């Protein structure tokens, strides 16, 4: 019998509930594995006793990124970690979008402002500011051209907290076409979802947001699948990815481009796609048995 750890984080006021976690633990047990949910920074966990540790909902990592990536290195030295620690290190810093762009993948245009950089913001357009290490729209906000002073204070707050800031044009098509999340498991398309806009005008950056508003089932287009495939093919080192989520939006030209490539702890939305649950359980057990 294989032993599987589904890695999560401790409950807290800033941490969303993982609706999939108990359901997936039960599905793995019913499929013949010994599965348990384990908190990543719980020093009592013996990771070596597991055949596979699958990062699932470590949704506090973004404000503890250095600590989290160090844990991934340690855990990966004791058992098989999915996804691997080198992928975790690369993907926890959203400067990976620059790597994808350099590889020819269409991505949302992004500038990075590290602590110490002068704060230069776009003129004449709506834009978004968010941390380069972030999840669930935490510390993200949307600004109009006449809100520069507020946006500058936002960037400086991120810098004071040690974060690099990302600045992107607000992708207007999100308001009508939403954002699509294409889920892959063991290299194969699992399912896809569509959600509405997350960042409402005037919402303060430090206000908690609904990360996945209006989530519905989605059938990806051929163009979306092609962009997702290009993004996954551009991951450095061609690692074996157990899971991946490619978040896409439409650019001004109407063509899909990558908003985020989620390789660390993407929400799988199994509650919306229950037909995918046995597939995920089967592929996790297969990975643990390899």
């Amino acid at each position: 019998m294989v032993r599987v750890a589904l890695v999560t984080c401790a409950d807290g006021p800033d941490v969303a509930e993982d609706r999939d976690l108990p359901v997936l633990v039960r599905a793995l047990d019913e499929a013949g594995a010994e599965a348990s949910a384990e908190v990543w920074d719980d020093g009592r966990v013996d990771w070596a006793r597991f055949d596979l540790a699958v990062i699932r909902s470590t949704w506090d990592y973004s404000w503890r990124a250095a600590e989290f990536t160090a844990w991934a290195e340690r855990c990966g030295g004791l058992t098989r970690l999915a996804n691997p620690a080198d992928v975790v290190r690369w993907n926890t810093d959203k400067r990976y979008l620059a790597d994808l762009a350099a590889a020819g993948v269409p991505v949302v245009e992004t500038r990075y402002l590290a602590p110490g950089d002068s704060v230069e913001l776009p003129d004449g357009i709506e834009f978004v500011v968010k941390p380069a290490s972030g999840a669930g729209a935490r510390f993200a906000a949307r600004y109009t051209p006449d809100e520069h002073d507020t946006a500058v204070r936002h960037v400086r707050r991120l810098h004071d907290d040690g974060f690099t800031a990302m600045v992107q044009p607000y992708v207007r098509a999100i308001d009508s076409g939403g954002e699509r999340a294409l889920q892959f498991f063991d290299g194969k398309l699992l399912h896809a979802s569509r959600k509405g806009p997350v960042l409402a005008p005037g919402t303060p950056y430090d206000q908690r947001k609904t990360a996945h508003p209006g989530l519905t089932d989605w059938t990806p287009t051929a163009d979306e699948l092609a962009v997702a495939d290009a993004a996954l093919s551009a991951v450095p080192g061609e690692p074996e990815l157990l899971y991946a989520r490619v978040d896409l939006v439409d650019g001004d030209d109407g063509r899909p481009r990558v908003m985020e490539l989620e390789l660390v702890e993407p929400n799988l939305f199994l509650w919306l796609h229950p037909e995918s649950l046995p597939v995920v359980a089967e592929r996790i057990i297969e990975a643990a048995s390899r």
Side-chain angles (χ1 to χ4, degrees), residues 6 18-28 30 270 277:
L6 299 180
D18 182 358
R19 297 170 59 179
D20 292 337
L21 190 61
V23 177
L24 186 52
V25 169
R26 186 165 58 250
L28 285 165
E30 291 173 353
L270 294 174
L277 179 61

Side-chain angles (χ1 to χ4, degrees), residues 60-289:
D60 62 350
Y61 90 84
S62 63
W63 55 96
R64 305 167 60 190
E67 184 181 352
F68 180 69
T69 52
W71 165 82
E73 296 283 357
R74 291 194 304 273
C75 184
L78 295 170
T79 187
R80 185 176 181 198
L81 180 67
N83 284 323
D86 56 343
V87 172
V88 170
R89 186 171 296 280
W90 178 75
N91 196 236
T92 51
D93 187 333
K94 290 186 174 61
R95 282 177 284 196
Y96 68 74
L97 287 171
D99 295 338
L100 297 182
V105 180
V107 303
V108 174
E109 179 186 347
T110 307
R111 284 197 300 122
Y112 301 93
L113 301 175
D117 289 347
S118 59
V119 181
E120 298 181 4
L121 299 172
D123 288 321
I125 61 169
E126 275 194 288
F127 60 95
V128 170
V129 175
K130 57 188 176 183
S133 177
R138 182 176 181 267
F139 279 10
R142 169 182 174 182
Y143 296 103
T144 61
D146 59 356
E147 293 177 309
H148 270 225
D149 290 346
T150 305
V152 168
R153 289 194 294 272
H154 180 179
V155 173
R156 287 177 176 162
R157 167 67 187 279
L158 293 177
H159 288 174
D160 288 345
D161 288 347
F163 290 105
T164 292
M166 300 170 60
V167 181
Q168 298 173 318
Y170 183 72
V171 181
R172 294 173 294 175
I174 293 177
D175 291 335
S176 56
E179 182 176 335
R180 281 86 68 199
L182 277 60
Q183 307 269 11
F184 295 83
F185 225 87
D186 211 16
K188 303 177 182 65
L189 180 70
L190 183 67
H191 55 241
S193 312
R194 176 188 178 276
K195 69 180 182 182
V198 175
L199 300 178
T203 303
Y205 69 87
D206 53 358
Q207 180 174 314
R208 188 169 178 176
K209 287 90 173 173
T210 299
H212 307 292
L215 199 68
T216 58
D217 190 16
W218 179 257
T219 300
T221 67
D223 281 349
E224 289 169 349
L225 289 168
V227 171
D229 182 65
L232 294 173
S233 297
V235 176
E238 300 182 355
E240 184 176 338
L241 301 174
L242 179 60
Y243 54 84
R245 195 181 84 207
V246 187
D247 293 345
L248 302 172
V249 295
D250 289 333
D252 289 341
D253 59 0
R255 303 294 296 275
R257 56 195 60 209
V258 176
M259 173 72 79
E260 291 190 11
L261 173 60
E262 297 273 8
L263 305 179
V264 179
E265 35 59 83
N267 195 323
L268 298 178
F269 310 130
L270 294 174
W271 58 267
L272 179 65
H273 302 274
E275 73 283 356
S276 294
L277 179 61
V279 178
V280 170
E282 177 185 359
R283 291 178 185 172
I284 287 176
I285 292 173
E286 289 175 353
S289 302

